[in-house]
Amino acid sequence: MSFTKIIGRALRDIASPSVLGFVLKVGLGSFLFWMAVLWLSWGPFERFVATYISMIPGVGKWEWLQESGAFLAALAIGYALIVVTISMLTSLFSEKLILKLAAREYPQIRPVGSAAIHRSIYYTVKASIVFLLLFLLTLPLIFVPVFGQFWMLWLWSILLKEPTVYDVGSLFISDPKLLKQRAKKAGLIAMIAALFNYIPLLNIFAPLFAQILFLHYLLAYGIPENRKS
């Protein structure tokens, strides 16, 4: 199966009622939570961001960045917090939905395990910390036209890649070497899914779309040792 067909299947699945229901609960719940938090604490939050910007070596003294840049940076950080929360909740609660989609689309493939909750949390927290650190350390780069958009896309892919490989891959592949081999396109898959983050509200689909896309990528090519007799 071609990669474009795999993307087409994932886009079809993302519009199914079960997926939409999951996304609405997890995605909109995260969005409304952070909107309420930021609404109630926007003044102190923006001042904190402005103080942080002033401490960045080399660019902290730029007048435009201290003025209008502080507001835009506060919005960007708030948006990043929403994206991180959606990714965490999707990683923790999507397993039943992924198994349901797999059983419907690939009934000949049997699951071989389950994602251990502590490892799922570990990979998700690890990816979130790396994402947030790189995001904060390179914050001025996102304001660079064109380059900033590609840089942000890569950062978002970090947030999705490793948790997606573990959460989905551990359901169907028990051999770490085989999973590593099958995950060679995980970076590309994460970047494709991260494109949703460029559209407010549609960003709530990004983590689950990454999982569904990786599911199709794994199972569309078959896993012979997992075939039901």
Side-chain angles (χ1 to χ4, degrees):
M1 181 184 300
S2 67
F3 195 69
T4 54
K5 288 184 178 180
I6 289 174
I7 295 175
R9 284 193 174 191
L11 288 171
R12 180 198 61 197
D13 287 341
I14 206 73
S16 65
S18 57
V19 171
L20 289 175
F22 180 90
V23 168
L24 287 174
K25 287 187 289 186
V26 170
L28 286 184
S30 302
F31 180 81
L32 293 175
F33 169 78
W34 280 111
M35 285 297 97
V37 170
L38 293 175
W39 178 269
L40 294 173
S41 59
W42 183 256
F45 179 68
E46 187 177 4
R47 287 193 293 272
F48 168 79
V49 174
T51 301
Y52 168 74
I53 288 176
S54 68
M55 297 169 61
I56 300 176
V59 299
K61 303 297 183 182
W62 295 356
E63 185 176 348
W64 74 269
L65 193 59
Q66 290 183 359
E67 295 176 1
S68 60
F71 175 76
L72 294 175
L75 287 177
I77 292 173
Y79 190 70
L81 291 173
I82 295 172
V83 171
V84 167
T85 303
I86 294 171
S87 296
M88 287 184 168
L89 294 177
T90 299
S91 178
L92 291 174
F93 299 111
S94 62
E95 182 174 306
K96 289 184 178 179
L97 178 57
I98 293 298
L99 288 173
K100 179 180 178 181
L101 291 175
R104 185 185 70 192
E105 299 287 340
Y106 307 95
Q108 75 279 12
I109 302 294
R110 59 178 176 82
V112 297
S114 180
I117 187 68
H118 66 282
R119 294 197 66 187
S120 184
I121 292 173
Y122 166 75
Y123 286 119
T124 303
V125 171
K126 175 187 172 185
S128 299
I129 290 174
V130 172
F131 165 77
L132 287 172
L133 284 176
L134 288 174
F135 176 74
L136 292 173
L137 289 173
T138 62
L139 187 61
L141 291 179
I142 70 174
F143 297 105
V144 179
V146 183
F147 174 82
Q149 284 66 61
F150 282 103
W151 179 254
M152 198 66 237
L153 183 64
W154 181 73
L155 290 180
W156 276 324
S157 73
I158 291 176
L159 187 62
L160 297 175
K161 179 182 174 181
E162 200 169 13
T164 296
V165 170
Y166 176 73
D167 291 336
V168 178
S170 60
L171 299 177
F172 302 98
I173 299 178
S174 57
D175 183 357
K177 292 183 179 179
L178 177 59
L179 179 58
K180 184 178 180 179
Q181 181 183 1
R182 287 294 185 95
K184 288 181 178 179
K185 287 190 177 180
L188 174 61
I189 287 170
M191 292 186 73
I192 291 172
L195 288 170
F196 277 101
N197 288 326
Y198 279 118
I199 309 174
L201 293 183
L202 285 185
N203 70 305
I204 63 179
F205 287 90
L208 189 56
F209 183 69
Q211 291 192 352
I212 294 174
L213 189 55
F214 190 63
L215 172 74
H216 283 295
Y217 173 69
L218 281 183
L219 303 190
Y221 296 107
I223 305 177
E225 62 271 28
N226 286 17
R227 291 188 178 275
K228 295 178 180 178
S229 55

